[in-house]
Amino acid sequence: MNVGEWATLIGAGGSFLGGGGFFMARATVRAAQATAAANQAAARAQAAPAQQQADLAVLQATVNRVDEENGQLRGRMSRLESVVRAFSWTTDRWARQMHDRGITPEPMHPLADEYNRTGV
């Protein structure tokens, strides 16, 4: 073999090995990316129960607060309905007393009249 043939042979071999190195490097990068993606997925899977627990704790605290507020509002609403009912009975009694004595009272407000007729 002469020098030109050796040069061609070495160039071809180097080209082949260099190309193989390129493909090996590409495969290594892809393997590293796949490993990183798998590690991230594993970390998310491990963190998911803790995140769900935190979300559940926030939800439970919100439900407890809303339940407490609803209880307070129901109590206030019940008290207000009792006051309106008592006031309605009182004004109705006064209106009857005025009628009995021949005094014509002012006409009742439409909302009060509706409450007296329907209780709502």
Side-chain angles (χ1 to χ4, degrees):
M1 261 190 190
N2 65 21
V3 175
E5 290 173 342
W6 278 105
T8 305
L9 183 62
I10 291 173
S15 174
F16 176 74
L17 291 176
F22 171 74
F23 288 116
M24 286 177 54
R26 234 172 96 185
T28 303
V29 168
R30 286 192 178 162
Q33 289 172 344
T35 302
N39 288 341
Q40 288 175 351
R44 280 194 304 270
Q46 289 176 349
Q51 183 61 39
Q52 287 177 345
Q53 280 296 92
D55 291 346
L56 181 61
V58 168
L59 179 62
Q60 188 63 44
T62 302
V63 167
N64 291 341
R65 181 183 53 81
V66 169
D67 281 347
E68 183 180 334
E69 288 175 1
N70 280 345
Q72 292 171 353
L73 289 174
R74 285 184 183 134
R76 291 176 66 191
M77 188 68 170
S78 177
R79 177 71 180 146
L80 181 61
E81 288 173 348
S82 298
V83 169
V84 168
R85 191 176 305 114
F87 184 75
S88 176
W89 291 341
T90 301
T91 55
D92 187 54
R93 188 180 70 238
W94 290 342
R96 271 189 274 115
Q97 289 173 351
M98 290 174 74
H99 278 294
D100 291 346
R101 291 182 175 81
I103 303 171
T104 305
E106 292 286 323
M108 197 175 291
H109 190 278
L111 289 175
D113 185 47
E114 180 181 349
Y115 180 82
N116 283 335
R117 284 185 290 105
T118 64
V120 179

